[in-house]
Amino acid sequence: MPQYYIWTIGCQMNKAESERLGSYLEQLGFQAVASAEQADLIVLNSCVVRQSAESRVINKLSALRSLKRSRPSLTLAVTGCLVNSHLDQLKQQFPHVDYYFEPGDCPQWLGEAQLWPVIPQHAAPSVFVPIIRGCNNFCAYCIVPYRRGQERSRPVAELLGEVSELVRRGAREVTLLGQNVDSYGHDLPDKPDLADLLTELNTIRGLARIRFLTNHPKDMTLKLVDAIAALDRLCEHISLPLQAGNNDILKVMGRGYTVERYRELINQIRRKIPGVALSTDIIVGFPSETEEQFEETVNVLAELRFDTVHVAAYSPRPGTIAAREFEDDVPPAEKQRRRDRVEQLQEGIATEINNRLIGRTVEVLVEGKKEGKWQGRTRTGKIVFYSDGGDHLGQLVQIRIQKASPWSLQGSVASNNKD
Ligand code: SAM
Ligand code: SF4
């Protein structure tokens, strides 16, 4: 049996595509192995959203050069956002790579299947389901639209069938994925929107939870907020990237909303969805960002108090509007300082938010074991660890929280209450 190994970095979309590629390879008779050294086929699923990720990909590719030299029969393929239209340059730079294929596509030398509808025989308790590919937004800093192309939504009926099948194969929770899930459906014949899709998925028996990411503040509608509030499987967990807390920076980023509009949206979400957990993304050190403008971002974060903040230092990406038109004028040390400041602030906020859960009982979907403890998530997306005998995998368990940190919670089974 030929053996395969997939190395993945980057976003959840990459993880979802790697999972599906693995399932497809297994259907073709390949077997997964734990290390690249054992594999007959190695696939690198790459990310280039920041220079740091791209450098890791390049290092990995360079390290595989000697493996390929010692075993020429090894097949090496690269997918993900490193793959661009200048294939000649890539082939020149990495002559030891046999194949390149675009993110979400199927490796053509293996067949013509559509990777998206390929689902695993045995689904994990929590699975990713891509609902829309590509992005039409072209935020000034972002390389994704150049590498993943125009938005293409998957039809509601196809997704309904797929999620039902995933549930039949063991899934209890799905996370719907798209670079901008709020533009789901605009390219489909009868123009369903995300709220319509969620309403349909909410009827699937055996499906306990539905999540989705990422929202775009310029496109998220009140209809969607109402749907989340009304549908029982929809988790109280929303990812809504702010990126910056200053209107001039948001404008040059090309985000299409103001801080005021963002704040109003958050207030509406909190009014309509009690107990909602919110996460956001921030870029610090965008070209021309002054100390005062950065402080405005800090103030907005302190005011809105997110459960989670993903903060990144601006990294110029070739071909993007920002890389072409703006000077990367915030020095690396200053970017680092701004990042540290946001992380420090957020650590305090997350500690306070999570500490409030101590003594409370929460529903946890058990996803696996880590260092001897069961690990799962609350409906609000918080990671929970607890110890208990028996097999809890894939079950919804009520856990009484005893300890909290900014990043996770610990507790014990509340009573004999597994579903
Ligand atoms: N579509 C989502 C959105 O609208 O925010 C996120 C997609 S993006 C691939 C994931 C995150 O990477 C972004 O939220 C942004 O904070 C970060 N990011 C993207 N390009 C970046 C860049 N050039 N430098 C630093 N961070 C970047
Ligand atoms: Fe990138 Fe903006 Fe599209 Fe998100 S919405 S993927 S940040 S271009």
Side-chain angles (χ1 to χ4, degrees), residues 169-334:
R169 296 184 190 187
R172 303 292 313 267
E173 171 181 293
V174 289
T175 302
L176 311 178
L177 296 180
Q179 296 301 337
N180 176 4
V181 286
D182 300 307
S183 57
Y184 172 78
H186 71 87
D187 53 330
L188 292 173
D190 43 358
K191 304 210 182 313
D193 61 19
L194 181 61
D196 299 330
L197 174 67
L198 293 173
T199 306
E200 293 284 340
L201 296 179
N202 197 63
T203 62
I204 296 175
R205 283 186 59 190
L207 179 64
R209 295 172 168 191
I210 307 171
R211 308 180 190 280
F212 53 88
L213 43 100
T214 304
N215 290 99
H216 198 306
K218 81 174 164 54
D219 295 324
M220 193 175 184
T221 61
L222 280 186
K223 179 184 172 193
L224 178 64
V225 179
D226 286 336
I228 304 166
L231 300 171
D232 60 335
R233 326 273 170 92
L234 263 289
C235 290
E236 300 77 25
H237 184 204
I238 294 177
S239 160
L240 192 63
L242 169 65
Q243 307 298 4
N246 169 271
N247 285 338
D248 292 332
I249 295 293
L250 284 174
K251 195 159 188 196
V252 278
M253 282 180 165
R255 291 289 292 174
Y257 54 86
T258 59
V259 174
E260 291 71 29
R261 146 85 186 158
Y262 187 91
R263 181 185 285 116
E264 176 58 19
L265 193 52
I266 293 284
N267 289 340
Q268 279 162 337
I269 292 169
R270 285 191 163 141
R271 257 199 311 274
K272 296 200 174 204
I273 311 170
V276 67
L278 292 162
S279 73
T280 199
D281 291 9
I282 295 291
I283 296 177
V284 296
F286 188 79
S288 81
E289 185 189 61
T290 63
E291 179 59 31
E292 291 71 34
Q293 289 170 327
F294 167 66
E295 280 303 321
E296 285 183 45
T297 299
V298 172
N299 291 341
V300 176
L301 293 177
E303 173 201 333
L304 295 180
R305 296 174 66 81
F306 294 91
D307 292 73
T308 316
V309 176
H310 306 280
V311 54
Y314 169 71
S315 166
R317 302 285 63 215
T320 59
I321 299 162
R324 281 183 272 131
E325 296 183 5
F326 310 133
E327 191 195 339
D328 180 20
D329 57 357
V330 179
E334 178 58 18

Side-chain angles (χ1 to χ4, degrees), residues 25-49:
L25 292 172
E26 281 162 30
Q27 283 171 25
L28 293 179
F30 281 81
Q31 192 180 34
V33 285
S35 77
E37 285 69 27
Q38 300 164 267
D40 305 295
L41 167 64
I42 301 173
V43 182
L44 250 74
N45 195 352
S46 60
C47 171
V48 294
V49 79

